[in-house]
Amino acid sequence: MPAITIDWNKVDHPELVLQRFPSRRSQIYGTKGVVSSSQPLATEAGLEILRKGGNAADAAVATSAALNVSEPSCCGIGGDAFCLFYDAKTKTVKALNGSGHSPQNLNLDYMRKRGIKGGQIPLTDLNSVTVPGAAAAWVDTVEKFGSGKLTVGQVLEPAIRLAEEGVPVSELHSYAWQRSEGLIRKASPNSDEMLLNGKAPLPGQIMKFPNLARTFRALADQGKEGFYTGRIAQAIVDLIQSQGGVMELEDLANHKTSIVEPIKYTYAGEVTVYECPPNGQGITALLALGILEQIQEQGKVKPLLDMDHNSAEYLHVLVEALRLAFADSQYYVTDPVFDHIPVEQLLSKEYLTRRAALFDSTKADPKVIHGNPVNSSDTVYFTVSDQWGNACSYIQSNYAGFGTGAIPKGCGFTLQNRGSGFILQEGHPNCLKGGKRPYHTIIPAMALKGDDLFLSYGVMGGFMQPQGHVQVLLNMLRGFTAQAALDAPRFCISSGTPNPDDKDDVFGVVNSEIYFEEGISPETIAKLRAMGHDARIASGFSRSMMGRGQIIQRIVDATGATVWAAGSDPRADGHAAAQI
């Protein structure tokens, strides 16, 4: 029988085929381990490592590398990574910051001489490329948190096999690829390494990445030096310098991952949420939770969990708390090596009480600005658990989709544009400087009850991420299953972006424009507009701004045994699966 195929070139509007979000997914359960990711083949790569005796950290790296192959429109070895690891033996959470620094020779004066007049480095300017941190993060995750039973090479083997043999492109990922086809073509002379016969692949078409497999093998065989020195490093520098960039080989050779202490906030005396510290934006979620708690303690609203879910009253308080939180984090978050970040003061009850006092239960604040806590001045998320009770919350990103879209010759990956997160404004805490890490959007999360793991979770998607952390956590505290918590309609505050009209303070004033997903009633939207919210509706593919989350929940059954329950976001192509 001949093969049955769909000629997508003959479909009038292929994107409409992919807009049918409604589906039914059941929560999955397992007793040994679970992998939840946005791509089924990446989930299987993680399961393969669990079956070989690897732990959650080992399997997370296998999943991460496989996502580079199966979803390069969001992530890859040319980007950055962060993780949180729950160690079941010590009942502690550890954090890893795998973000890269700007080139030592890059500064504000250079960008002005280059003719850049705006507040940020353009996304396609190769000076927006910071040193890719993912490669080192993979190695360090295995070496610092792994089981010790598997080498980095063994952990990367599933991804290498996928890159060499090829992967069929999934539906939503294909659409993202098609939207970036022009970017990839223009960004470098090496676009053929990320295109199929000169075009973005269509759903079901097989993409092979032989050069990416070579890059993975260099990392597997030579460790971090295989990426940060030699052929790959030289290819990165050659490409960047060919387009006016200033990155040097020394910038790559000097890169190091940071093992850091996570920051945390205990909400309602019930659950402690852990985030990676700045330069990541995880503090935004903690600030919002603290402000929400204080708003309730001040009696301005009734308890959140007593409100109707996604009612106008409920959404109003969440939106306003998150806007207050963003105003602070987008001003204060930067590289702590360069500027002091008052994390303790920002999360203090005294400061959160002052911020909560600004909340008005009847109307929106049209212009929320950052406070002063002291007297001085595209992405993939996935999560893994294992049979020993460990969990790994992992996230990686190119920043804007394929990042710059530029491909170092013979390497098979695109370079990120994370440096666009810097602010080109003298005196701003997040101002561009050489050797500095920028404000970072990607954030994994965990939640504990006492010392016991409750959730390993996250919601990918730029400035949506802390918004998703808060919304999904509150859904879980309402008693939603992990899958239902992800299925529920969400809102997005203008992607959390700063107000470009505020010339004096680029970060620190947050737009009032808010998008509400289909599924939130028109009556609720009308009430929010009457309260002064610039409420808009996100439908079809615009729902992608709501992020794509994954959750693993630890449940203890009547016998005291651990059961893992997991969900995977229907806004992505992936699923959760349990080890047998």
Side-chain angles (χ1 to χ4, degrees):
M1 180 180 293
I4 299 174
T5 61
I6 297 175
D7 186 348
W8 288 86
N9 292 310
K10 294 182 180 179
V11 177
D12 290 337
H13 298 286
E15 71 277 6
L16 297 180
V17 179
L18 312 181
Q19 286 189 359
R20 298 174 187 144
F21 273 72
S23 66
R24 185 191 178 281
R25 294 187 179 194
S26 295
Q27 178 166 263
I28 71 100
Y29 297 94
T31 57
K32 291 185 178 179
V34 169
V35 183
S36 182
S37 86
S38 55
Q39 288 289 329
L41 294 175
T43 295
E44 176 55 32
L47 290 173
E48 180 178 327
I49 296 304
L50 289 178
R51 295 187 196 108
K52 290 180 177 179
N55 71 357
D58 298 320
V61 172
T63 304
S64 183
L67 280 162
N68 187 168
V69 184
S70 58
E71 202 167 21
S73 68
C74 297
C75 67
I77 200 169
D80 287 343
F82 289 76
C83 90
L84 294 171
F85 180 75
Y86 177 77
D87 187 326
K89 286 185 179 179
T90 61
K91 294 195 172 186
T92 57
V93 179
K94 303 171 183 178
L96 179 149
N97 180 333
S99 63
H101 302 76
S102 61
Q104 285 289 343
N105 293 331
L106 187 63
N107 53 46
L108 180 59
D109 184 56
Y110 179 82
M111 295 309 299
R112 294 305 185 210
K113 289 179 179 177
R114 190 170 165 80
I116 305 301
K117 297 179 180 179
Q120 294 170 284
I121 303 174
L123 294 170
T124 55
D125 188 317
L126 293 198
N127 282 295
S128 70
V129 180
T130 50
V131 174
W138 291 349
V139 174
D140 290 323
T141 299
V142 172
E143 293 182 351
K144 303 291 185 182
F145 307 144
S147 64
K149 299 176 182 178
L150 301 175
T151 65
V152 172
Q154 289 172 309
V155 168
L156 293 178
E157 189 54 43
I160 293 171
R161 187 170 66 246
L162 285 172
E164 290 177 339
E165 296 177 1
V167 295
V169 176
S170 60
E171 290 183 339
L172 294 175
H173 178 42
S174 170
Y175 182 70
W177 214 323
Q178 291 172 58
R179 288 187 298 171
S180 296
E181 183 180 302
L183 169 70
I184 294 169
R185 277 209 201 97
K186 296 175 183 177
S188 71
N190 313 310
S191 60
D192 60 318
E193 298 186 38
M194 198 61 69
L195 297 174
L196 183 63
N197 300 320
K199 301 189 72 175
L202 298 171
Q205 292 185 323
I206 296 174
M207 279 294 293
K208 295 182 179 181
F209 300 92
N211 289 334
L212 181 60
R214 288 177 62 211
T215 295
F216 286 173
R217 287 201 183 280
L219 187 66
D221 296 341
Q222 303 167 44
K224 287 179 276 190
E225 288 188 358
F227 185 89
Y228 294 98
T229 65
R231 176 186 70 86
I232 297 169
Q234 189 66 62
I236 292 172
V237 169
D238 287 347
L239 176 58
I240 292 173
Q241 291 187 355
S242 73
Q243 296 190 28
V246 296
M247 187 173 287
E248 303 282 352
L249 288 172
E250 289 77 11
D251 294 312
L252 289 152
N254 292 332
H255 173 76
K256 292 182 180 179
T257 305
S258 299
I259 306 299
V260 293
E261 188 69 23
I263 56 176
K264 61 186 179 181
Y265 184 82
T266 300
Y267 177 75
E270 179 181 2
V271 59
T272 301
V273 179
Y274 287 78
E275 300 276 358
C276 289
N279 58 312
Q281 66 170 343
I283 193 173
T284 312
L286 304 186
L287 282 164
L289 289 171
I291 292 168
L292 286 169
E293 186 170 41
Q294 292 305 313
I295 287 172
Q296 293 170 88
E297 287 193 9
Q298 292 173 16
K300 292 191 168 189
V301 297
K302 64 184 178 182
L304 286 176
L305 301 187
D306 291 345
M307 298 180 189
D308 290 339
H309 183 252
N310 279 352
S311 62
E313 177 188 27
Y314 180 75
L315 293 170
H316 171 65
V317 65
L318 263 63
V319 166
E320 292 297 280
L322 278 160
R323 291 180 66 225
L324 285 163
F326 268 123
D328 283 339
S329 66
Q330 291 189 338
Y331 182 79
Y332 289 105
V333 169
T334 184
D335 187 339
V337 173
F338 284 75
D339 291 277
H340 171 68
I341 305 168
V343 172
E344 184 177 346
Q345 292 93 336
L346 284 166
L347 295 177
S348 69
K349 183 174 181 179
E350 178 187 7
Y351 181 69
L352 293 169
T353 299
R354 296 207 311 268
R355 295 301 271 166
L358 300 174
F359 171 75
D360 187 329
S361 62
T362 64
K363 62 182 180 181
D365 185 341
K367 188 175 183 180
V368 176
I369 63 172
H370 68 82
N372 186 6
V374 290
N375 292 329
S376 59
S377 61
D378 299 20
T379 300
V380 291
Y381 171 80
F382 52 96
T383 179
V384 182
S385 62
D386 63 35
Q387 59 186 302
W388 300 285
N390 305 307
C392 196
S393 184
Y394 215 99
I395 196 160
Q396 63 180 25
S397 175
N398 296 327
Y399 193 35
F402 281 93
T404 61
I407 304 165
K409 185 175 178 59
C411 295
F413 61 84
T414 59
L415 292 168
Q416 66 180 18
N417 45 16
R418 186 57 65 176
S420 293
F422 284 117
I423 297 300
L424 303 184
Q425 178 182 315
E426 195 67 54
H428 194 283
N430 190 38
C431 182
L432 171 66
K433 293 179 183 177
K436 186 177 182 179
R437 284 170 161 161
Y439 178 109
H440 227 289
T441 57
I442 62 174
I443 50 172
M446 279 188 170
L448 274 61
K449 290 188 174 182
D451 293 333
D452 295 321
L453 182 69
F454 172 46
L455 302 174
S456 180
Y457 79 110
V459 178
M460 64 191 88
F463 293 102
M464 176 62 199
Q465 293 177 60
Q467 304 181 59
H469 286 196
V470 171
Q471 293 176 67
V472 166
L473 174 68
L474 291 175
N475 289 347
M476 293 297 298
L477 294 180
R478 281 179 174 270
F480 284 25
T481 67
Q483 187 58 57
L486 293 169
D487 290 344
R490 299 197 278 263
F491 66 81
C492 177
I493 305 167
S494 191
S495 300
T497 52
N499 186 343
D501 295 327
D502 190 62
K503 305 303 181 185
D504 297 323
D505 196 359
V506 181
F507 272 18
V509 179
V510 180
N511 284 330
S512 60
E513 185 179 290
I514 309 148
Y515 288 86
F516 295 88
E517 197 169 17
E518 284 180 313
I520 295 175
S521 72
E523 293 79 14
T524 296
I525 302 294
K527 288 179 182 178
L528 289 166
R529 287 172 178 161
M531 297 172 81
H533 291 285
D534 184 1
R536 319 237 180 142
I537 297 173
S539 60
F541 273 110
S542 67
R543 294 175 67 177
S544 63
M545 74 172 67
M546 302 299 162
R548 305 173 301 159
Q550 318 292 333
I551 299 176
I552 296 178
Q553 179 185 11
R554 178 179 176 269
I555 299 173
V556 179
D557 77 356
T559 68
T562 291
V563 176
W564 300 112
S568 182
D569 205 306
R571 300 163 188 81
D573 290 313
H575 67 185
Q579 176 191 4
I580 59 172

